Amino acid sequence: MRRHGIGLLALAGLLAVPLTALPHQAGAADSLVSSGRPATASSVEGSGFGAPLAFDADPATRWASAEGADPQWVRVDLGSNHTISRVKLDWEAAYGKAYRIQTSADGSTWTDVYATTTGDGATDDLTVAGTGRYVRMYGTTRGTPYGYSLWEFEVYGSPTGTGGGGGPAVPFGSRTQPYAAGMLRPSGSPATLDQKVVAYYNNWKSAFVRQNCGNGWYQVISPDADHPYVAEAQGYGMVITATMAGADPNAKKIFDGLVKWKIDHPSSINPNLLAAEQDSSCRSVNGGDGATDGDMDVAYGLLLADRQWGSSGTYNYKDLAIKHINAIKKDELNASTRLLKLGDWSSPGDRYYYVSRTSDWMVDHFRAFRKATGDTTWDAVRTAHQTQIAHLQSTYAPSTGLLPDFVVDTNTAPKPAPGQVLEDPNDGAYWWNACRTPWRIGDDAVTSGDAESLAAARKLNSWIKGKTGGDPSKIAIGYALNGSPLSSGSDAAYVAPFAVAAMTDAGSQRWLDALWNKMLATPIQTDSYFGASIQLQTMITVTGNHWVP
């Protein structure tokens, strides 16, 4: 493909102000922000040539304007204000000879960031400098007797929103943090995939998000847990609502209600953590101490919120996040093994002090904690957990890669729990905790490209794809670590996480599509926040919408 330089002298007679536009330099620190975003155009040639097709990341589809008329335009809505650094136009045969690239904050007042009268088609890859929520190509002279037509119109940059009235900085669907090279996504345009996620999110919210106790609180109910409200569910809710900002205009309101719940239900051991369980009257019960899984997501959700909305509003998300992260380090991390404990209630000398739950091992969270705090302890924590993942896979599940719910003897020779340690006789199997590990490992693999996370995810994917013959309906409810099924039937909590692992294997497109279609065909069970919340978060990841603050 060709790259076109800019005739700067030709611009002098065209514009009242100088423009900054040069051929794009490879390696610039910009992200694709237009893929799958809403788009409109001045006209469309006919059915099958709509404006969104120029932003669908599919080089075989295109937008085409009506023929024989000038001017014509096509624009994309980035969802919030962005700094624009690069625009790439892949023209079809019907190209623009004279056109402008323009930005706008409101969709009505436009600023030129590039213009030419000597366009000759093919590919224009341009470095520009501007800001706006909307970006458009405004064509004034056609290069052929036909119209204007673009295979792809790509906008690169970064969000500038920091909360308040500026909207979310990373609106859902913006994909401002590209995944590692080679990661798969389900077949279909980004816009279509995003629509499926938003629809599922709306159903999830209707089923589980409540304001049952007043006091400005929001809660995620947990009808399938031991108590009506559990920290794990609130953590899921905070991560989900912060991620869905831009698709849900009430996301910040809900998030702030969840923050108030967290503040008003402190752990009895460390008040910067969240009490693990509440009853139907919204009172903390069962000791009021903290659970590591919920606290990990609460801290991560607060970091997402700080990036989305800034921390100058009602709540200082960043300050709350740092306090929560430091509290996890103090009371939910084993200081000698660098592995997470089960909660802040476990202390040296008790029988659970050297027990860890594999579903808590959220490697991308450790990366976010390191970035937010600058504390190198989190590098050591990440390494410790990745080392144990590799050890458990190679030693106890060499043919499957499956992890157990709980690991014991973490101070000497870590191994799967030998029967019931905390919950039930399957504590040493791939059961109702460890079923989340393909998703948790995969989240880090796809976002960081880390070799260890990729290897662990690919091992899981290779086994389950072969075990089921590529049929997601054959994924059982639970497995021994050697791959023997523990229970028949199907559950979203077991099916969905494998879709994230499938993203890491270039040869698994058909398998990933089968998993995606299985998820779409699985309605939300309103009596199971667990499976629905897991599936929603995996849908967010496989569509390219998971990001690390």
Side-chain angles (χ1 to χ4, degrees), residues 479-530:
Y479 292 94
L481 298 189
N482 66 5
S484 300
L486 298 179
S487 180
S488 60
S490 181
D491 192 280
Y494 286 89
V495 174
F498 282 117
V500 184
M503 299 173 68
T504 66
D505 175 31
S508 290
Q509 185 66 59
R510 182 177 296 181
W511 170 234
L512 176 58
D513 287 344
L515 288 161
W516 175 253
N517 290 329
K518 172 69 173 176
M519 287 192 281
L520 295 183
T522 302
I524 283 180
Q525 296 179 329
T526 57
D527 60 349
S528 177
Y529 89 93
F530 187 74

Side-chain angles (χ1 to χ4, degrees), residues 147-363:
Y148 298 83
S149 185
L150 287 165
W151 294 109
E152 285 297 309
F153 182 169
E154 297 178 351
V155 180
Y156 293 77
S158 60
T160 59
T162 57
V170 189
F172 176 79
S174 60
R175 297 176 177 84
T176 60
Q177 290 186 16
Y179 285 175
M183 298 300 104
L184 301 178
R185 292 182 192 169
S187 298
S189 71
T192 299
L193 298 178
D194 288 351
Q195 289 169 3
K196 300 297 184 182
V197 179
V198 172
Y200 195 90
Y201 165 73
N202 287 332
N203 290 334
W204 171 86
K205 189 170 69 165
S206 176
F208 304 111
V209 177
R210 295 287 185 271
Q211 283 187 293
N212 285 343
C213 298
N215 206 32
W217 294 329
Y218 272 89
Q219 320 92 17
V220 177
I221 60 170
S222 48
D224 46 332
D226 292 338
H227 295 83
Y229 312 105
V230 294
E232 176 187 79
Q234 313 320 313
Y236 285 163
M238 292 175 76
V239 172
I240 289 168
T241 52
T243 304
M244 296 303 297
D248 181 359
N250 292 317
K252 189 175 186 300
K253 178 182 178 182
I254 295 170
F255 188 90
D256 282 355
L258 291 167
V259 172
K260 191 173 191 306
W261 175 273
K262 166 230 167 346
I263 293 172
D264 292 347
H265 294 84
S267 166
S268 59
I269 295 175
N270 189 321
N272 287 315
L273 299 174
L274 170 62
E277 299 162 324
Q278 289 78 38
D279 63 15
S280 59
S281 298
C282 297
R283 295 173 300 192
S284 293
V285 294
N286 203 24
D289 42 39
T292 302
D293 50 2
D295 284 320
M296 288 286 291
D297 275 334
V298 167
Y300 192 81
L302 287 164
L303 292 177
L304 292 173
D306 172 64
R307 174 72 186 279
Q308 285 285 40
W309 301 298
S311 290
S312 60
T314 303
Y315 298 107
N316 187 329
Y317 305 127
K318 186 65 174 290
D319 180 66
L320 289 170
I322 297 299
K323 288 178 179 176
H324 213 99
I325 293 166
N326 289 337
I328 292 171
K329 176 184 172 181
K330 178 179 180 294
D331 285 316
E332 293 181 335
L333 181 67
N334 188 301
S336 62
T337 67
R338 294 292 200 232
L339 298 178
L340 292 170
K341 301 188 300 174
L342 302 177
D344 61 359
W345 48 267
S346 178
S347 59
D350 72 43
R351 64 191 182 113
Y352 298 107
Y353 191 62
Y354 294 108
V355 178
S356 191
R357 179 172 35 223
T358 60
S359 55
D360 297 353
W361 299 359
M362 308 171 197
V363 178

Side-chain angles (χ1 to χ4, degrees), residues 401-415:
L402 295 171
L403 300 181
D405 272 15
F406 296 95
V407 180
V408 300
D409 299 338
T410 59
N411 60 325
T412 54
K415 62 184 180 182

Side-chain angles (χ1 to χ4, degrees), residues 9-260:
L9 292 178
L11 303 182
L14 183 64
L15 302 171
V17 295
L19 303 179
T20 301
L22 299 169
H24 178 72
Q25 300 299 309
D30 42 25
S31 299
L32 179 63
V33 295
S34 56
S35 183
R37 298 301 305 166
T40 55
S42 54
S43 67
V44 175
E45 179 183 335
S47 178
F49 297 102
L53 298 178
F55 303 92
D56 65 355
D58 185 345
T61 61
R62 60 188 175 94
W63 162 72
S65 74
E67 296 183 355
D70 292 308
Q72 300 287 345
W73 54 263
V74 59
R75 81 177 191 186
V76 62
D77 178 0
L78 303 179
S80 66
N81 202 48
H82 281 61
T83 297
I84 310 303
S85 58
R86 176 187 175 196
V87 170
K88 183 180 179 183
L89 305 175
D90 284 335
W91 294 101
E92 194 256 350
Y95 67 93
K97 181 178 180 181
Y99 68 89
R100 304 179 184 186
I101 302 299
Q102 301 176 314
T103 62
S104 173
D106 58 8
S108 60
T109 300
W110 296 90
T111 300
D112 295 329
V113 295
Y114 169 71
T116 184
T117 59
T118 58
D120 59 359
T123 298
D124 292 332
D125 198 349
L126 313 166
T127 295
V128 299
T131 61
R133 171 174 173 168
Y134 303 90
V135 181
R136 75 176 179 179
M137 186 286 298
Y138 186 82
T140 56
T141 303
R142 289 164 288 120
T144 72
Y146 304 103
Y148 298 83
S149 185
L150 287 165
W151 294 109
E152 285 297 309
F153 182 169
E154 297 178 351
V155 180
Y156 293 77
S158 60
T160 59
T162 57
V170 189
F172 176 79
S174 60
R175 297 176 177 84
T176 60
Q177 290 186 16
Y179 285 175
M183 298 300 104
L184 301 178
R185 292 182 192 169
S187 298
S189 71
T192 299
L193 298 178
D194 288 351
Q195 289 169 3
K196 300 297 184 182
V197 179
V198 172
Y200 195 90
Y201 165 73
N202 287 332
N203 290 334
W204 171 86
K205 189 170 69 165
S206 176
F208 304 111
V209 177
R210 295 287 185 271
Q211 283 187 293
N212 285 343
C213 298
N215 206 32
W217 294 329
Y218 272 89
Q219 320 92 17
V220 177
I221 60 170
S222 48
D224 46 332
D226 292 338
H227 295 83
Y229 312 105
V230 294
E232 176 187 79
Q234 313 320 313
Y236 285 163
M238 292 175 76
V239 172
I240 289 168
T241 52
T243 304
M244 296 303 297
D248 181 359
N250 292 317
K252 189 175 186 300
K253 178 182 178 182
I254 295 170
F255 188 90
D256 282 355
L258 291 167
V259 172
K260 191 173 191 306

